[in-house]
Amino acid sequence: MLGIILYSGAVALIVIGIAGLVRSTHLFRAVLALVIAESGANLLLMLAGFRLGGAVPIATEGSFPLAMVDPVPQAMVLTAIVIGVGIQALAIALLVRVKQRYGTLERSKVTAAMELELNK
Amino acid sequence: MSNYLVLLVILPLLGAFLMQPLSQLLGSKQAGRKILQNFGRAVIAVTLTITYIVATEGEGVLQLPLSLLMGGFVVPVGINLYLDQFSLLWLVAIQVSLLILWPASRDIRQHLLLLVVAASSMGMALSGDLFNIYVFYELLAVATFGLVAQAPHPAAAVVSFRYLLLSAFGSVLALAGIAIIYSQSGSLNLAHLSAFVVNGETQFPLAAFLLLLVGFGVKAELFGVNGWVPEVYGVVSSRMSALLAGVISKIAVVVIVRIMLLLFPYPEASQALLVLGILGMVGGEWVAWHTAQRGGKLSTTLAYSSIGQLGMIFVAFSFSLTLGLFVGVALALHHLIVKSGLFMLSSAQLNRWQLGLFVLFGLSLIGVPPLPGFWIKLAMLQDLWATGGGLEQLAIALFLLATVVEASYLSKIISTQMVSPQFKSAKLGGNSEERRNLNLAWLYGILLFGAIFFINPLAETLHGIAVQTEDGELLRSVVLENSIDPLAGGEQ
Amino acid sequence: MSEFLFELNMLDSLLLLSAVTVAIAILCRVEYISGGVVTLLYLAQLVVVGMMISAGGVFSSHLTPQLFGYELGWLLDGLGLYFTLITVGSALLATLYMAGEWGRRYREQGKSFRALQSLLALNVFTMQLLLASSDLLSLFISWELASWAAFALMALSGGKGLKAALHYMIYAFSGAMLVFAVVAWIATTAVTAAYQLDINGAGILQFSSVAELMQQGIFTIPEQLLMLTLLLIGFGIKMGLLPFHLWQAPAYALSIGPAGAFLGAISSRLGLFAIIVVLFKIFGSITDGSILQSSFGFEFASVTPKTLLAWIAVATIIFPTFVAMRQNDARHLLAWHGIGQGGYMLLGLVMMDSLGSAGGLLHVFNHATYQAALFLAVTSVIYRTGTADLNRLGGLVVRMPLSFMTLLIGIIGLAGLPPMNGFVSKWLVYRSLLDQGELLLFVGAVIGTLGTILSVYKLIHNMFLGSLRKEHEEVREVSWSMLTPMLILSALILLTGLFPGIPLQWVAQGLSAVGLPVAEFNLGGVMADGGSLDMVIVSMVLFSGFGVAALIFYFVGGKSKRVNPLDNYAGGHFLYASNRYHYSNNFYAGLMHLIKPWYKNTFQRLERVVVTLLELTAESLSRLYMRPHSNQLALIIVVLLLW
């Protein structure tokens, strides 16, 4: 039961993020939506390794818990988060350039200006 | 010696990171600048030599594939690098293309990013771990974002941003797909996962395949996520377009094919690939025609054309018979050469000799004998007929129709070029970079023309590659049982 | 090396000679020599072909490359030899025409004579490869090469000619793709069959092997019908069969003079050659119960593919001929006729009896002779006057009598009247139609001839008869280099009309090569059960009629004297040179008024429909790419659905 709630939560985050990405009218909001979506994906990945009632996957002297949460997805998620942060930073940097060039971050206006420049 | 395989990934990365301090050190002097210009190419030349050494060691990879463990960690806990004929082919393709198409710009950031591209694409071709492939893919993506943003076009930043959004969308999906696979199997190693599938323990759901397909398909110009293609090709330089369309897209396709072969060997997956391939083929070629009719830019037409061609490649790969692999690889290689050549010719107005070269590329693209494109198309048609099925017959009809459409817009472009004044003269026009590009086009043209005389041996080689690639047993046995531990003295 | 040379049999020598011709045409920079040298080379080729024909039998080439797992081969039999003879002959005459003064002026205009010669030679070479192909793959490869060579030759004229050539290319390439699909289909199935039967798969695409496979029933009847249809469409496009004929007339008309003669003479007949190969060699249509005879019925009538083909042939005869009548440009008029005559050839062959098939095949030769003659004559007129517009010419008979004679002989041949060769082939076809009781088809063919006669009269009247225009007062006859091929052709038309037995021998060899029945031919014509034709007697009767008339005119009647056409008197006025008393504009006004409503431009509209469909889909797809992210939404939905 808990599993289903958690999974649907992760999926919902992804869906919300993607919906935001697709539908937002402001480019910065698109980036934020992307952040949400990535969080959702990371959460999904974490859940893949989650074991209910499992302990932290660290073996110390004396205690070797039998049921551990799977550490591999956690490692993956770390990597994914870092990648995500890097990409988001790049995105924002590009947005700064876009704002400098077109003066606006409204998606429709920027797209229109872009089309104009591409077809010249 | 085989340990040196890892240098293929490390050296370019190292080179990339070293470029910045090196430029501080050497940038002020004339000689120093010269060194910096050629640094990237030198690194790639080194890696190419290493590739040769590793591949010909012992019996040679052509006989037996090679699997190398990273850090000595045992599969499936650790990551392995897998070198067989298939990955060797793509490694060579990447490196040779980079050497040929390396830009001559003064901006070391381009060189730096291209080294990152080299490292990540070679990593993608070699890696045997699903998440590792994902990480390299992201690295490749970020490098391309940077390269696109640096393009000498006013709209470069916004185009790069849009490309980034689309690519990130794909990455999210891919990550979700990886999560599904991990949750069902507990492993990330391709060979290990493939063993699960073959033993009948798990069948990974189609949704996972679709997620991974869409995720990696962004770079591969898959239908649905290829909106970035015309925009990006419209802003980057010809050489970058050639690299993107020719090489980078193929690596993404290669990754998808490996995943499909090993993890999703059931008909629904291939059918999904077939459908998306057909849609991409039709969409790409039709819109290319539309663009040419309207007198749009050549780079836009070529962009849509490459979408169409990649659709055809997907259609070819969707048949996981050996013949399908053969056709797919042949088509991918052919497109690499022809598209690079075409992009090299797209920058300037062409005189009659160069236009003849354009015609050569165009004829091979649409499959006129005796050019190699014809033989590949023959094999593709035979492949489609052999598989039977209604969808495949529809694919044949659409494939042939798409070829006619290709012929139509290519001839439109050629006849437009024929009325330009540059056509009459035999002189070379354009600036120095354009002239260099045109010379490179000759290189590709000679390669293509020469291939006519070697059709039989080429076909045999590619066939051999296809057979080895399809052999999942071979991969599993090599990776799971015979991986080489670089730390220990010998085999595991 | 010398052993290698001895190994060359005649087919190899021919192909080698042809390749050398191409090489010399490309490499020879000294343009005023190249014309002569190349002509001599074509003559040599013609000699070789002649030797092969008189030797009889089959020649197979030593060139058998193994490509992609298939063994390709080349082989000339009676049928191929017949077409090759016509090809090389047309090329020889076209080059002869180009070699002298025409070529000089062409070079003076700054155009590339070398390109013209090279492309012509390339066309001949690729056509020879096509005619000598002995398996499906070599057939298809040479077909493509020949199509592209023809495209290049047409495109050389630039401007409108280029557009027409591009139009041709789309049609031809679509046809080629249809053929390609069938070839791949057969190849796939054949290879699997060979594997199962454990025979060597390399030669599986030879015509004979494929025919065997067909007979063994590897493909079901509906599959065979589908293949046949696709192949017929694919090859029929090149031949200009309805409804795929729209490209042909402008493409041939607008190509460069002698090249147009060559193309019009033989290029589209390659489609016919391929159809013959397909129908008779591969699908074995001669045998009883073969696919061509098999009927698939509707409730009210049963239609065989043979009937369908015959009706398409008749439609091809009628429609383009009447379109020709409306043309005001001499070359377009001739080109439209070229399409129509192709219908006769197919009609005769589809009848599959001794007379009809002989007539159809003979018509290829005949048509080549008078199409070339007519085109060259028109090119001569263009050379001297600068125009081919029928509304701007007239009265050239006094200035260019030999061109007039060529044209006259040509149009008598085209119309199919004795004593020219056209009469023979048409007679044979009519005879066969009547023998088989196909009255409706016969009437259709006759309507076509009627249209032909009407429109060729327009041609000769508007060009040569009537009064000479002021601007053409200084026009002279063309030089000997240009006259020679025209006169050769006229003589050929006349001779083969008088003694049709000569070409009929070659036709007989061609027919027996595919297994069609052969009638007994003698020098004057044919002796068959249905009826016989002896041209010698017919011509004697004809000439004696003229002879009697000449006698009466010159000797018996009153004195005659030569007068100037303006030495006349009409309606109370003398005639003045400044007025034109020549009715040429809107020539068949009355007839056109009657039949104009029948010209519905149907085929052009059909073509327009196809193109518009294409444009619509392209437009909507490009919208899809421009709209932001709509495709991503679609994909997500798909993914979720499949979870």
Side-chain angles (χ1 to χ4, degrees), chain B residues 6-219:
Chain B
V6 101
L7 285 177
L8 290 183
V9 178
I10 295 180
L11 275 181
L13 270 180
L14 190 63
F17 291 127
L18 279 179
M19 280 209 90
Q20 177 62 12
L22 272 178
S23 79
Q24 301 282 32
L25 275 173
L26 301 170
S28 43
K29 290 174 263 181
Q30 176 75 339
R33 270 197 290 272
K34 260 244 149 27
I35 295 178
L36 281 173
Q37 293 280 17
N38 294 314
F39 184 67
R41 260 189 276 232
V43 171
I44 302 293
V46 169
T47 54
L48 194 56
T49 328
I50 296 177
T51 318
Y52 176 74
I53 295 175
V54 174
T56 51
E57 187 194 5
E59 284 177 27
V61 148
L62 301 170
Q63 302 297 333
L64 189 69
L66 169 69
S67 171
L68 187 66
L69 297 174
M70 292 294 97
F73 287 104
V74 162
V75 163
V77 173
I79 295 176
N80 72 310
L81 292 181
Y82 182 67
L83 181 67
D84 63 347
Q85 287 182 26
F86 191 56
S87 30
L88 181 65
L89 175 67
W90 296 111
L91 285 178
V92 171
I94 296 169
Q95 289 169 87
V96 171
S97 303
L98 277 172
L99 279 176
I100 296 178
L101 293 170
W102 200 272
S105 82
R106 304 258 174 85
D107 191 347
I108 59 142
R109 292 178 300 177
Q110 262 206 332
H111 296 256
L112 192 157
L113 285 171
L114 273 175
L115 281 173
V116 175
V117 165
S120 46
S121 46
M122 289 202 275
M124 268 172 76
L126 280 172
S127 176
D129 179 284
L130 190 57
F131 193 71
N132 194 222
I133 291 178
Y134 172 77
V135 172
F136 277 129
Y137 182 83
E138 292 299 306
L139 196 54
L140 179 63
V142 171
T144 48
F145 300 152
L147 283 167
V148 171
Q150 280 181 344
H153 190 280
V158 64
V159 163
S160 176
F161 178 78
R162 285 166 63 91
Y163 179 30
L164 184 154
L165 277 187
L166 196 49
S167 192
F169 163 76
S171 311
V172 167
L173 292 181
L175 206 52
I178 295 177
I180 296 177
I181 291 185
Y182 187 78
S183 69
Q184 290 207 344
S185 63
S187 170
L188 288 169
N189 185 287
L190 286 178
H192 199 209
L193 289 168
S194 154
F196 281 143
V197 170
V198 160
N199 294 340
E201 289 173 30
T202 11
Q203 167 145 317
F204 296 117
L206 184 63
F209 176 64
L210 286 177
L211 288 169
L212 284 171
L213 180 62
V214 173
F216 290 121
V218 175
K219 277 266 181 307

Side-chain angles (χ1 to χ4, degrees), chain C residues 546-582:
Chain C
F546 278 121
V548 167
L551 261 171
I552 299 176
F553 184 69
Y554 280 115
F555 296 115
V556 177
K559 289 271 170 105
S560 54
K561 73 171 191 184
R562 301 197 72 186
V563 289
N564 187 297
L566 293 174
D567 182 6
N568 211 329
Y569 179 80
H573 286 273
F574 286 103
L575 305 178
Y576 294 101
S578 50
N579 295 340
R580 252 178 68 82
Y581 300 98
H582 183 184

Side-chain angles (χ1 to χ4, degrees), chain A residues 15-86:
Chain A
V15 170
I16 292 172
I18 289 181
L21 181 62
V22 167
R23 289 189 46 107
S24 60
T25 50
H26 193 270
L27 291 179
F28 183 63
R29 298 215 183 99
V31 176
L32 291 177
L34 187 63
V35 173
I36 295 178
E38 282 182 358
S39 317
N42 291 332
L43 190 56
L44 195 61
L45 204 45
M46 288 275 296
L47 285 172
F50 186 68
R51 232 136 279 174
L52 207 51
V56 171
I58 300 174
T60 56
E61 291 196 14
S63 78
F64 193 96
L66 285 165
M68 278 198 276
V69 172
D70 192 344
V72 172
Q74 296 182 1
M76 285 201 279
V77 166
L78 270 173
T79 320
I81 291 177
V82 171
I83 293 175
V85 167

Side-chain angles (χ1 to χ4, degrees), chain B residues 205-370:
Chain B
L206 184 63
F209 176 64
L210 286 177
L211 288 169
L212 284 171
L213 180 62
V214 173
F216 290 121
V218 175
K219 277 266 181 307
E221 303 185 17
L222 186 72
F223 178 77
V225 282
N226 52 18
W228 59 272
V229 173
E231 295 169 8
V232 168
Y233 288 16
V235 300
V236 295
S237 69
S238 313
R239 291 203 194 188
M240 268 310 297
S241 303
L243 268 172
L244 275 174
V247 185
I248 295 180
S249 56
K250 306 302 182 300
I251 304 300
V253 173
V254 156
V255 160
I256 292 174
V257 168
R258 269 261 211 248
I259 291 176
M260 188 179 83
L261 272 179
L262 292 172
L263 271 55
F264 302 98
Y266 48 81
E268 286 84 357
S270 348
Q271 258 205 355
L273 199 62
L274 178 61
V275 168
L276 286 172
I278 293 177
L279 287 171
M281 174 173 76
V282 169
E285 301 291 3
W286 256 247
V287 182
W289 185 76
H290 186 249
T291 316
Q293 289 288 95
R294 295 275 206 79
K297 288 202 304 191
L298 182 57
S299 57
T300 318
T301 314
L302 286 178
Y304 283 114
S305 172
S306 78
I307 293 180
Q309 289 287 316
L310 277 161
M312 291 183 192
I313 294 176
F314 277 121
V315 170
F317 275 124
S318 70
F319 305 107
S320 36
L321 314 164
T322 316
L323 191 56
L325 275 170
F326 167 70
V327 175
V329 171
L331 211 48
L333 274 178
H334 177 248
H335 186 240
L336 193 154
I337 297 178
V338 170
K339 247 319 141 39
S340 309
L342 280 174
F343 271 116
M344 288 295 99
L345 289 173
S346 71
S347 44
Q349 295 282 49
L350 306 172
N351 68 22
R352 64 180 65 171
W353 293 109
Q354 292 151 354
L355 195 63
L357 201 57
F358 195 99
V359 168
L360 182 74
F361 289 130
L363 288 178
S364 193
L365 203 61
I366 63 182
V368 173

Side-chain angles (χ1 to χ4, degrees), chain B residues 166 169 180 206-207 210-211 214 223-224 226 282-284 286-287 289-290 293-294 304 307 326 363 366-370 374-375 377-379 381-382 385-386 400 403-404 407-408 411 415 455-456 459, chain C residues 66-70 72 137 140-141 144-145 148 162 166 169-170 173-174 177-178 180-181 183-185 187-188 191 611 614-615 617-619 621-622 624-625 628-629 631-632 635-636 638-639 642-643:
Chain B
L166 196 49
F169 163 76
I180 296 177
L206 184 63
L210 286 177
L211 288 169
V214 173
F223 178 77
N226 52 18
V282 169
W286 256 247
V287 182
W289 185 76
H290 186 249
Q293 289 288 95
R294 295 275 206 79
Y304 283 114
I307 293 180
F326 167 70
L363 288 178
I366 63 182
V368 173
F374 165 69
W375 299 105
K377 285 221 150 91
L378 178 63
L381 278 179
Q382 285 186 273
W385 276 123
L400 291 173
T403 318
V404 177
S408 173
S411 57
S415 54
I455 287 289
N456 281 339
Chain C
Q66 265 248 15
L67 285 175
F68 228 61
Y70 294 111
L72 303 177
L137 202 54
F140 181 72
I141 293 179
E144 281 264 54
L145 289 173
W148 284 97
L162 179 60
L166 285 172
M169 198 268 294
I170 299 294
F173 196 66
S174 315
M177 288 296 107
L178 289 173
F180 197 20
V183 168
W185 188 0
T188 318
V191 166
V611 175
L614 203 70
E615 283 175 356
T617 25
E619 179 80 39
L621 279 166
S622 78
L624 185 73
Y625 276 97
H629 301 296
N631 35 20
Q632 288 157 297
L635 252 114
I636 300 172
V638 167
V639 167
L642 281 148
W643 187 284

Side-chain angles (χ1 to χ4, degrees), chain C residues 206-227:
Chain C
Q206 307 262 349
F207 293 147
S208 44
S209 324
V210 176
E212 248 186 67
L213 283 176
M214 293 286 169
Q215 287 204 330
Q216 285 173 5
I218 293 275
F219 300 102
T220 67
I221 291 289
E223 283 180 342
Q224 284 192 30
L225 271 174
L226 179 64
M227 278 190 199

